[in-house]
Amino acid sequence: MTILQTGRYHEVHARSLRDPEGFWAEAAREIDWIEPAKQIFDPAVGTYGRWFSGAVVNTCYNALDRHVAGGRAGQVALLHDSTLTNTITKFTYAELLKEVQALAAVMQDFGVAKGDRVILYMPMVPEAVVAMLACARIGAVHSVVFGGFAAKELASRIDDAKPKLIFSASCGLEPGRIVQYKPLLDEAIRLAGAKPEACIILQRPQHGCELTAGRDHDWATLRRTALDAGKAAPCVPVLATDPLYILYTSGTTGVPKGVVRDNGGHLVALKWSMYNLYGVKPGEVWWCGSDIGWVVGHSYIVYGPLIHGATSIMYEGKPVGTPDAGAFWRVISEHRAVALFTAPTAFRAIKKEDPEGRLIRKYDLSSFRTLFLAGERADPPTVEWAEQQLKVPVIDHWWQTETGWCIAGNPVGLGMLPVKHGSPTVPMPGYQVDVVDEAAKPVPAGTMGSIVIKLPMPPACLPTLWQQDDRFKEAYLSEFPGYYKTSDAGYRDQDGYVWVMGRTDDIINVAGHRLSTGGMEEILASHPDVAECAVLGIKDNIKGEVPCGFLVLKAGVSKSPDDVEKEVVALVRDKLGPVAAFKLAITVARLPKTRSGKILRGTIKKIADGEPWTMPATIEDPKVLDEIGDALKGKV
Ligand code: COA
Ligand code: AMP
């Protein structure tokens, strides 16, 4: 493999912008292609051009088969460590390939073919990775739905993706609680207009479920039968530009956006990132502590490490309470992980439980080289604490579901740049990151503005939204012509470092999970007693932000405000899911508005966060802000 020399960031990044095709053609040599690209970048196709146009490839082949053939058959590919079941399960590359070949054959028996969509609604079990790779093997397009989402959210994804098949499980495990998946799956299929032809259900020993006759099939039986019959589906060649997966993410409405990831660009960018950004070599043990339901899990539990030939740890558990705040250190030391990728919220939770880092010193962390943080802004106190305790570099890096990999980070493999706490450092190759004003004009260094990426974006970034080119163009490309809009605000400093300070839309980040307050408002507004509402993210010491809903009740409502508040909290959990962490609803007589009727969310947030605020000149009635302040007393 080409390992770029250290200390070369500026040269490498400049080259990637000067000669993008040359740069990515060279990176593409790390991938096994069935047919090479006819054009490295074709500007004439798609919404803004496509990478590796005309190339034929298979992602699963690059993640498994080539490593088995190339001497890694006996190396552990996937290491599942569950603190919730107290089990550790290891799959070598050869074993994982066998599982994937068999499941892919089962899928073909169900009639699943190239281009068909398959939904996974699964907990953090190795079978989920097997199913993702089996889809990739036969060219089916997977869409993983995070287990913390409720039936209605799953239903909207079923309706959009129209899957032929759904993989699910009897249950997921949360500390002290078994999450029954099957009733949620049944309800989602009932709600959805599009019905899958079949469901394959993994029965977990912690809680079984009844299978629906004629629709559901037992995973273990199908697997055993396929393995006994020696079934092994070969890799189906797909175009580099064919979709590998769809991953739904929150947009500014309750309707999620289906981010499309292609095969070729994704392979090339993820492979490049594993050493050059994360500093991990093939054969080393890498741990990404996310969930396969999020993009971070797709890219760095499943695809990145396997494409690279590393060992990937998949962890079922939490940073604290399973059993204690030493869980992460136990996993690193027991499996000799060289790097961990997690969200700052996990470190805030650990720091709260073990501020002196006593549990850290109980473990041998000599293998551990680097901590990577993403998913939300890494707040400087958390970064400083982690640096002091772990005595390794702590690297914040910024990315989005849409990009599939890092936009700005600190490239360990190229030679780290000095860390500035609060900044994810510098743009990765292929990303020209600009900060612009409302007229799409770049602003001077140090000036806040909208962060945008000059088109074309590098490989792996979304080419479009699933079957919605127009929505893609409208949501991302129209506001700043020639650019992709990240919807993040911030600035670049004199050294070119990127500072990402917050979203420009209604997205909030709760424990590293991306959620739409607009979507939550739609749910609150559906309550029969609610006349008006506003949801905004307020500061939380552990989760960064949590949603807080303000309600104005309809005239003549006989229920107490307390009862309505409890009902809307339950409603959000039921319709959106527990992951929203929506626990605070406050009834007020009126919402503060401008004279033109716009709710003053920014001012309410400042009051709730205890930050200084100024009376907006356009406010309709200044007294309402005092009422909000009074209503918040004792609640936040
Ligand atoms: N299935 C069902 N429910 C789920 C779930 C799943 N897969 N994942 C989370 N939930 C539930 C939780 O049980 C919790 O429910 P509760 O309200 O009944 O307690 C709720 O959703 C919120 O979960 P979570 O966000 O995990 O919060 P938590 O309070 O349980 O734990 C942290 C807090 C900080 C420990 C946890 O959020 C964490 O580890 N975050 C790190 C995330 C990360 O590493 N991301 C990777 C980078 S993107
Ligand atoms: P998601 O699509 O769920 O990965 O969320 C992406 C959003 O999370 C980004 O648009 C940012 O708002 C935020 N985010 C992710 N990583 C960072 C980071 N390192 N610094 C600041 N914000 C981040």
Side-chain angles (χ1 to χ4, degrees):
M1 64 182 270
T2 327
I3 290 180
L4 295 163
Q5 296 306 302
T6 55
R8 295 184 53 215
Y9 166 74
H10 292 288
E11 177 198 330
V12 168
H13 185 254
R15 181 183 170 216
S16 77
L17 297 191
R18 199 174 55 241
D19 174 22
E21 293 199 65
F23 182 89
W24 291 112
E26 201 175 303
R29 287 194 211 130
E30 299 286 327
I31 298 305
D32 287 12
W33 303 92
I34 298 166
E35 281 175 38
K38 294 194 172 51
Q39 227 173 313
I40 298 299
F41 182 74
D42 183 353
V45 290
T47 52
Y48 64 88
R50 298 299 301 266
W51 289 99
F52 306 107
S53 175
V56 180
V57 73
N58 183 280
T59 292
C60 181
Y61 179 86
N62 277 278
L64 298 178
D65 304 56
R66 66 166 175 167
H67 300 310
V68 172
R72 297 193 185 279
Q75 179 194 314
V76 175
L78 185 67
L79 192 160
H80 181 257
D81 185 316
S82 170
T83 48
L84 297 172
T85 60
N86 277 320
T87 53
I88 292 171
T89 318
K90 298 177 186 180
F91 296 82
T92 63
Y93 271 95
E95 287 164 346
L96 191 56
L97 174 59
K98 209 163 167 211
E99 294 290 336
V100 170
Q101 284 171 322
L103 191 65
V106 168
M107 291 172 70
Q108 286 177 328
D109 287 347
F110 277 95
V112 179
K114 183 167 142 181
D116 288 338
R117 273 81 57 216
V118 174
I119 279 188
L120 276 79
Y121 185 56
M122 300 277 299
M124 286 288 282
V125 289
E127 286 82 355
V129 175
V130 173
M132 289 166 80
L133 292 166
C135 289
R137 190 166 191 85
I138 60 170
V141 181
H142 63 68
S143 186
V144 183
V145 179
F146 177 62
F149 281 125
K152 191 170 162 288
E153 289 293 309
L154 176 58
S156 70
R157 287 151 174 84
I158 294 174
D159 271 334
D160 197 64
K162 301 187 177 44
K164 195 163 203 168
L165 181 72
I166 297 183
F167 284 109
S168 191
S170 55
C171 69
L173 304 175
E174 283 292 297
R177 176 164 79 92
I178 286 182
V179 184
Q180 293 189 38
Y181 275 45
K182 190 55 185 357
L184 299 171
L185 174 70
D186 289 344
E187 173 65 1
I189 294 176
R190 193 188 65 77
L191 290 171
K195 310 286 181 197
E197 287 172 20
C199 298
I200 297 181
I201 311 289
L202 180 76
Q203 295 278 15
R204 297 190 78 185
Q206 295 75 22
H207 184 93
C209 65
E210 275 214 10
L211 301 186
T212 306
R215 188 197 73 192
D216 296 349
H217 303 265
D218 178 51
W219 192 313
T221 311
L222 293 170
R223 169 186 175 270
R224 193 66 271 154
T225 313
L227 284 171
D228 288 348
K231 285 196 169 178
C235 291
V236 171
V238 299
L239 287 174
T241 47
D242 280 340
L244 169 69
Y245 69 76
I246 307 166
L247 182 57
Y248 289 89
T249 190
S250 302
T252 45
T253 66
V255 187
K257 296 177 186 163
V259 168
V260 173
R261 190 85 53 223
D262 66 10
N263 279 274
H266 180 246
L267 278 163
V268 174
L270 292 199
K271 174 66 179 138
W272 185 93
S273 70
M274 283 303 299
Y275 179 77
N276 294 297
L277 173 58
Y278 296 109
V280 172
K281 298 185 202 84
E284 290 189 323
V285 181
W286 155 264
W287 180 20
C288 171
S290 180
D291 187 289
I292 45 137
W294 307 117
V295 67
V296 171
H298 279 61
S299 295
Y300 292 111
I301 295 173
V302 186
Y303 289 110
L306 297 181
I307 292 163
H308 195 47
T311 296
S312 179
I313 297 177
M314 178 184 204
Y315 174 70
E316 187 181 41
K318 302 263 171 180
V320 292
T322 59
D324 57 27
F328 274 20
W329 324 126
R330 196 269 303 158
V331 172
I332 291 173
S333 103
E334 190 167 337
H335 307 307
R336 311 300 297 156
V338 300
L340 165 65
F341 176 170
T342 186
T345 185
F347 266 75
R348 289 194 295 267
I350 294 170
K351 181 178 160 194
K352 180 166 175 263
E353 300 279 307
D354 183 21
E356 310 298 328
R358 287 203 180 90
L359 292 167
I360 299 177
R361 281 174 278 287
K362 259 181 68 182
Y363 294 94
D364 169 10
L365 301 184
S366 55
S367 62
F368 188 54
R369 295 197 299 257
T370 330
L371 172 67
F372 293 93
L373 299 174
E376 58 177 316
R377 180 162 187 260
D379 52 297
T382 302
V383 176
E384 279 156 27
W385 183 82
E387 282 174 343
Q388 283 159 12
Q389 296 297 332
L390 294 169
K391 305 199 169 31
V392 297
V394 177
I395 311 271
D396 177 20
H397 62 318
W398 166 56
W399 50 304
Q400 308 184 314
T401 305
E402 288 85 345
T403 62
W405 70 296
C406 175
I407 308 168
N410 199 338
V412 171
L414 294 182
M416 268 181 67
L417 299 176
V419 170
K420 295 191 192 185
H421 293 164
S423 162
T425 319
V426 286
M428 287 298 99
Y431 288 104
Q432 180 180 326
V433 177
D434 286 336
V435 179
V436 296
D437 63 15
E438 281 167 11
K441 273 203 13 226
V443 296
T447 308
M448 283 278 284
S450 293
I451 314 183
V452 292
I453 300 167
K454 185 111 181 128
L455 294 173
M457 293 204 284
C461 293
L462 83 170
T464 191
L465 295 175
W466 178 247
Q467 293 185 334
Q468 290 196 60
D469 284 356
D470 289 342
R471 187 176 178 200
F472 171 71
K473 286 185 210 154
E474 228 246 74
Y476 298 101
L477 309 185
S478 63
E479 190 171 338
F480 302 108
Y483 289 109
Y484 163 89
K485 175 175 83 167
T486 66
S487 293
D488 277 311
Y491 61 94
R492 292 196 71 177
D493 68 15
Q494 298 290 355
D495 300 324
Y497 280 49
V498 180
W499 296 75
V500 183
M501 306 311 287
R503 296 280 303 194
T504 58
D505 55 13
D506 72 353
I507 299 286
I508 56 168
N509 207 308
V510 181
H513 312 317
R514 169 170 163 180
L515 298 162
S516 155
T517 54
M520 290 186 227
E521 284 178 5
E522 282 174 26
I523 296 172
L524 299 197
S526 74
H527 188 285
D529 297 333
V530 172
E532 229 187 339
C533 64
V535 176
L536 36 107
I538 60 171
K539 262 193 209 151
D540 181 84
N541 286 342
I542 302 294
K543 298 194 177 196
E545 268 181 317
V546 286
C548 172
F550 290 87
L551 314 173
V552 176
L553 304 189
K554 286 181 183 160
V557 168
S558 56
K559 271 184 223 147
S560 73
D562 207 33
D563 283 345
V564 180
E565 287 163 12
K566 284 195 187 110
E567 282 173 22
V568 298
V569 166
L571 199 63
V572 175
R573 195 174 172 94
D574 182 49
K575 300 272 182 238
L576 183 54
V579 67
F582 183 85
K583 305 215 163 147
L584 186 59
I586 300 173
T587 307
V588 290
R590 306 173 286 174
L591 290 170
K593 291 184 187 167
T594 62
R595 281 188 284 275
S596 60
K598 214 169 147 246
I599 298 171
L600 289 159
R601 288 184 173 75
T603 314
I604 307 178
K605 181 173 162 50
K606 284 200 173 119
I607 296 172
D609 288 345
E611 282 179 9
W613 55 278
T614 45
M615 185 64 71
T618 54
I619 193 162
E620 190 187 27
D621 180 354
K623 284 201 288 294
V624 189
L625 287 175
D626 295 333
E627 292 167 20
I628 292 283
D630 291 341
L632 279 162
K633 277 192 192 121
K635 303 226 170 162
V636 290

